[in-house]
Amino acid sequence: MNVRIISANLVVKLLSFYREKTTMFFTFAFPIILILVFGTIFMSQDSMEYRLSVQDLDQTNSSAESIKTLAKKGKFKITSVDPAVDAVQYVRDSKVNLLLVVPRGYAASLMQRIIFNDYSSSVTITYVYDPSSSSVQTKMQILNAALAGINQGMSGRAPFIRSAEKSILTKKYRFIEFFVPGIIAMSIMTMSLFGTVDSDTELRQKGVIRKLSTTPITRTDWILSNVLYQFILAVISTLAMLLVSYAVFDVNLHIDAWLPVFILLDVFAFVGTGMILTRFVKEAQSAAAASNAISYPMMFLAGSFFPIELMPGLLQTIAKKLPLYYVNEGLRASMVFEDNMAALRSAAIIGVYAAVVFILGIMATKWEENQ
Amino acid sequence: MTRETEYAIEVDRLTKRYGDFPAVNDISFSVSKGEVFAFLGPNGAGKTSTVEIIETIRMPTSGKVTLLGMDVTKKKHEIVHRIGVLPQAFSSFDRITVRETLQYYSRLFSVKTDLDGLIELVNLGDKTKEQYKNLSGGLKQRLGIAIALVNDPEVVFLDEPTTGLDPLARHEVWEVLLGLKKKGKTVFLTTHYMEEAELLADTVAIISKGKIIAMGSPGELIEDNANYLALTLRSVDEKVLEIVQKLGFGTVPDKHKNIRIRVEQTYDVQKILQAIKDAGARYRSLDVRRPNLEEVFLKLTGEALREELPEMEAE
Ligand SMILES: Nc1ncnc2c1ncn2[C@@H]1O[C@H](COP(=O)(O)OP(=O)(O)OP(=O)(O)O)[C@@H](O)[C@H]1O
Ligand SMILES: [Mg+2]
């Protein structure tokens, strides 16, 4: 190992990358675009405030007051609908999936109950809804709970059974906070894999490697400078992704020493995979195809974009055999759930994978054409 | 263990097989220190196979190759510091400039290189900030030669340094190589251009199908193998061929109405021209020249060095 040679190599690699402006742009911009697009799509789902349309047929102070209470308890944002329109027609025509109808005589019935203690007095609030909408059920559940709460309050007696919520996750997270670590893991994988396979096959094809084999540079120097180069790109890219995520989505991600650890393991694992691939592909074109064949299934199966729990059992079993899955798990354990033990477990698994693949990669890398 | 010898390179009964195919077949030769040695041969003759074995990047099948007193199969790490290589079809990093490329290779050897002197030697002074991919073929080759010299090597290997270049670019590379020759470097050159070998080499080895078929200085080779004159008559009419054949000379006509005549001495030329004049036959032009390595090669192998005929090349 020769530090001067490694740094000379690193300089050439970084300069080449920097001067290839389109490649540089896409390398860094692509994951950021993914974050912006998906972050925006799922932003509405993250904000827990639902819109609720209400048609108040009673038009009294007390009906208005009750609607306000309901809005507060269920965290709804209320849209009032003109009492003159037909409720069913309204839901059908507008994009609204649920309309709450407060009946005429609401105030009168309420008075009957509270002032005259007439416990048989009641009102019926109607949900006019579109069952084809996916979020309407959740909305109705929240409404039911809010209404039950109001009823309970009116009875004046303390409830016997109360409930408390306790999430198994140490904290609530938003989709974007789940998504960003996945994209970090994925883009480091693609950068390291494609970077290694592309540049190695290109330089081999052009005969640069043959020239280098008549100089004092060794295979080890060459491989180490590539790892270092990929690590630097990975760090820059990760910082850019995090910066955008903080600035645009105000994410709440925990950053500690695990982040560089997982970046490094991700780099080693996929530079190693790339070196093994390089051994088997001779031309630049098949090199790209081979890298794609490895990275695409990995991206979709290993839970880069969504939790693997959403997939059928068989696919989950496969996912757990993929190295990228453990980078995802590890990054999320450290950045989202702040669970050091889980991060350590994932780091151990991906670490073993990286070591094995990297050693195989070194063995697979032919330097001299000693044939 | 370095043995001091007068030879830079000694090759003893070298054979290189790919599978069963003997690309290099039991060849022996030696290259003295300070000489320019050329391997002249057509495509597939085994030039690159031989050179790359001496450069330590291919393994011989059998035989012994010694470079500067060291066995090439055992002393790779020492040897690479003392040789400079321009591989066949040389290429470098597209986006790196001429000066940066030289700096890079200089760092690989961990040596201080007089970059400016080197740039001047290959005449790339006004291209130092140009990226490799923007250089023309000739400039790329000259950069490649400069790279081969960054470590001030004792032996320089140039594998087909001018193949694929236009005549002007080729002459510019030759200028550089003549400069190198003047500096007294040991140079191992491979080529399939006989002009190149004739112009640059002290010793030429003609290689064909993995065998060295003749070796010596260009003058010796011609003397030994083609001691005659070649008279070419262009655009002749039908009678000329008949007249010349009647005089008893060997003739080679071609489809462009040119005939080539082999004559032993200048007097024969006069005799032929006189006979043509007397018969009232015609030709457009003529030339007489000493044969070159091209003819030597033709004679020794029965094959042309390249596809084109030498006359076509001269025109
Ligand atoms: N790695 C290899 N595997 C199999 N055959 C090879 C290999 N390298 C060269 N050959 C064959 O060996 C023969 C000699 O090749 P070599 O490259 O040494 O010739 P050359 O004289 O350098 O030719 P050229 O002028 O085309 O460069 C050719 O027939 C070639 O096809
Ligand atoms: Mg060759």
Side-chain angles (χ1 to χ4, degrees):
Chain A
M1 199 183 80
N2 182 323
V3 179
R4 277 176 72 156
I5 291 180
I6 292 174
S7 68
N9 236 340
L10 190 59
V11 168
V12 161
K13 277 173 168 288
L14 287 171
L15 274 180
S16 299
F17 177 74
Y18 176 72
R19 288 175 184 163
E20 200 73 62
K21 295 282 193 257
T22 24
T23 316
M24 182 166 73
F25 174 78
F26 281 110
T27 306
F28 290 146
F30 183 65
I32 291 178
I33 291 170
L34 273 183
I35 288 175
L36 287 175
V37 169
F38 282 87
T40 311
I41 291 175
F42 289 97
M43 186 135 66
S44 55
Q45 212 183 59
D46 284 333
S47 62
M48 284 306 290
E49 202 177 60
Y50 281 112
R51 290 176 184 284
L52 180 64
S53 299
V54 179
Q55 188 182 40
D56 182 1
L57 298 177
D58 199 41
Q59 294 289 331
T60 55
N61 273 346
S62 78
S63 67
E65 203 57 41
S66 298
I67 290 168
K68 236 184 242 168
T69 315
L70 195 62
K72 219 174 103 193
K73 280 200 185 260
K75 296 205 179 92
F76 288 112
K77 201 170 173 180
I78 303 292
T79 312
S80 293
V81 174
D82 183 356
V85 305
D86 177 67
V88 174
Q89 200 61 41
Y90 178 83
V91 172
R92 212 172 267 156
D93 294 347
S94 63
K95 290 271 176 269
V96 163
N97 58 8
L98 176 74
L99 173 63
L100 206 68
V101 184
V102 179
R104 200 188 306 271
Y106 177 88
S109 300
L110 187 64
M111 197 103 76
Q112 185 79 11
R113 178 132 181 170
I114 294 172
I115 300 182
F116 304 108
N117 282 335
D118 177 356
Y119 291 110
S120 65
S121 168
S122 70
V123 293
T124 303
I125 288 181
T126 316
Y127 303 162
V128 182
Y129 72 102
D130 171 6
S132 68
S133 155
S134 58
S135 64
V136 76
Q137 290 296 342
T138 325
K139 242 185 199 179
M140 279 161 51
Q141 276 166 17
I142 298 172
L143 273 174
N144 286 341
L147 290 176
I150 294 174
N151 279 332
Q152 169 71 43
M154 280 172 66
S155 76
R157 292 186 194 138
F160 172 59
I161 298 179
R162 296 174 194 267
S163 65
E165 283 181 17
K166 193 159 189 166
S167 168
I168 55 159
L169 307 175
T170 45
K171 82 184 207 211
K172 273 214 166 95
Y173 64 91
R174 289 149 55 202
F175 171 78
I176 187 74
E177 286 153 1
F178 173 88
F179 191 69
V180 169
I183 296 301
I184 291 176
M186 179 203 82
S187 43
I188 294 174
M189 167 186 79
T190 30
M191 270 194 297
S192 301
L193 185 63
F194 281 76
T196 302
V197 175
D198 286 357
S199 90
D200 278 9
T201 39
E202 192 200 332
L203 293 176
R204 186 172 304 277
Q205 223 175 353
K206 287 175 66 184
V208 176
I209 304 272
R210 194 153 40 101
K211 165 71 201 183
L212 289 177
S213 66
T214 66
T215 72
I217 187 174
T218 61
R219 208 173 53 163
T220 319
D221 296 335
W222 176 257
I223 292 169
L224 282 178
S225 62
N226 185 39
V227 169
L228 207 56
Y229 164 71
Q230 298 295 350
F231 182 67
I232 291 174
L233 292 197
V235 167
I236 296 174
S237 175
T238 303
L239 288 179
M241 283 185 262
L242 286 176
L243 225 63
V244 169
S245 306
Y246 278 106
V248 178
F249 301 110
D250 188 28
V251 290
N252 180 10
L253 289 170
H254 179 75
I255 289 169
D256 58 17
W258 282 118
L259 181 60
V261 167
F262 280 106
I263 293 178
L264 195 66
L265 292 175
D266 204 354
V267 167
F268 265 102
F270 290 102
V271 166
T273 311
M275 293 193 302
I276 296 175
L277 270 191
T278 311
R279 173 63 181 265
F280 297 106
V281 289
K282 291 281 176 283
E283 269 114 47
Q285 266 173 334
S286 36
S291 318
N292 275 324
I294 291 211
S295 60
Y296 273 105
M298 198 91 92
M299 257 182 240
F300 289 106
L301 290 177
S304 299
F305 306 117
F306 47 81
I308 66 159
E309 289 72 27
L310 297 180
M311 301 192 302
L314 174 67
L315 291 185
Q316 289 190 35
T317 316
I318 296 175
K320 287 179 182 162
K321 304 240 178 325
L322 300 176
L324 185 63
Y325 170 76
Y326 293 96
V327 185
N328 286 333
E329 287 292 290
L331 275 178
R332 284 177 187 138
S334 75
M335 297 175 83
V336 182
F337 309 127
E338 296 175 40
D339 181 344
N340 282 325
M341 277 319 290
L344 184 64
R345 266 197 308 277
S346 295
I349 295 172
I350 184 69
V352 168
Y353 174 87
V356 169
V357 166
F358 194 73
I359 289 168
L360 286 179
I362 291 176
M363 296 195 313
T365 304
K366 272 196 299 183
W367 191 241
E368 294 102 38
E369 270 182 76
N370 271 349
Q371 44 196 336
Chain B
M1 290 296 291
T2 311
R3 194 160 47 81
E4 268 314 311
T5 71
E6 62 189 291
Y7 293 117
I9 302 167
E10 291 168 272
V11 173
D12 186 29
R13 308 204 60 179
L14 173 67
T15 295
K16 173 69 177 174
R17 278 179 215 281
Y18 300 107
D20 282 339
F21 174 71
V24 178
N25 196 351
D26 193 18
I27 64 173
S28 303
F29 62 90
S30 33
V31 178
S32 302
K33 282 184 179 161
E35 91 170 314
V36 176
F37 183 93
F39 246 23
L40 176 66
N43 286 17
K47 303 184 295 294
T48 300
S49 299
T50 308
V51 167
E52 294 197 343
I53 288 169
I54 308 173
E55 290 163 0
T56 76
I57 58 179
R58 293 196 202 197
M59 292 299 274
T61 308
S62 66
K64 188 167 164 59
V65 178
T66 315
L67 187 122
L68 299 166
M70 296 176 278
D71 184 335
V72 295
T73 59
K74 300 198 179 103
K75 300 278 179 172
K76 181 186 171 67
H77 296 290
E78 281 140 79
I79 288 175
V80 289
H81 286 278
R82 298 173 66 180
I83 62 172
V85 173
L86 172 74
Q88 181 165 9
F90 159 80
S91 181
S92 188
F93 305 98
D94 278 340
R95 292 285 187 175
I96 304 302
T97 68
V98 167
R99 179 173 275 275
E100 288 162 353
T101 305
L102 288 171
Q103 256 158 4
Y104 169 71
Y105 279 100
S106 161
R107 280 188 200 138
L108 292 192
F109 284 98
S110 306
V111 292
K112 283 240 177 302
T113 308
D114 172 17
L115 290 185
D116 294 312
L118 209 50
I119 288 167
E120 199 182 323
L121 179 75
V122 297
N123 203 3
L124 282 173
D126 48 351
K127 298 284 180 188
T128 52
K129 292 204 169 79
E130 200 69 68
Q131 291 179 10
Y132 177 78
K133 69 180 179 71
N134 297 331
L135 299 175
S136 68
L139 298 185
K140 283 178 177 167
Q141 285 302 90
R142 271 144 63 185
L143 173 60
I145 293 169
I147 293 172
L149 299 173
V150 287
N151 55 328
D152 194 19
E154 289 158 68
V155 185
V156 183
F157 295 90
L158 307 168
D159 196 355
E160 301 198 15
T162 63
T163 298
L165 300 186
D166 63 47
L168 179 65
R170 180 172 306 145
H171 277 93
E172 283 165 356
V173 171
W174 286 346
E175 288 299 319
V176 172
L177 296 184
L178 283 171
L180 208 58
K181 186 181 163 92
K182 227 185 278 167
K183 291 177 90 178
K185 291 259 184 236
T186 309
V187 178
F188 193 124
L189 175 78
T190 79
T191 182
H192 45 204
Y193 295 107
M194 61 87 197
E195 311 96 291
E196 192 162 294
E198 226 170 275
L199 175 73
L200 298 168
D202 301 310
T203 306
V204 177
I206 298 181
I207 179 166
S208 170
K209 298 186 180 133
K211 284 273 189 198
I212 292 180
I213 51 177
M215 189 156 62
S217 71
E220 284 164 10
L221 284 174
I222 293 164
E223 194 93 353
D224 294 351
N225 297 291
N227 195 11
Y228 56 84
L229 292 173
L231 165 65
T232 308
L233 297 174
R234 296 178 205 281
S235 302
V236 298
D237 61 25
E238 287 94 64
K239 279 188 276 180
V240 174
L241 186 59
E242 212 176 296
I243 295 162
V244 176
Q245 278 169 346
K246 221 181 261 168
L247 288 172
F249 292 103
T251 54
V252 188
D254 73 8
K255 50 184 179 294
H256 302 282
K257 289 188 162 181
N258 303 330
I259 52 176
R260 217 163 86 187
I261 307 152
R262 184 179 157 157
V263 296
E264 301 303 329
Q265 41 188 314
T266 2
Y267 173 71
D268 292 338
V269 177
Q270 282 175 10
K271 209 162 82 181
I272 292 167
L273 296 182
Q274 191 60 46
I276 293 172
K277 199 175 169 195
D278 293 345
R282 286 166 191 280
Y283 57 89
R284 171 115 66 76
S285 64
L286 67 85
D287 80 48
V288 184
R289 55 189 179 80
R290 302 257 306 149
N292 54 31
L293 290 177
E294 196 79 46
E295 271 94 7
V296 174
F297 188 83
L298 200 63
K299 180 189 162 222
L300 290 171
T301 65
E303 293 170 42
L305 206 43
R306 276 166 292 144
E307 317 293 271
E308 325 98 89
L309 273 167
E311 283 89 349
M312 304 292 116
E313 176 79 10
E315 272 173 4

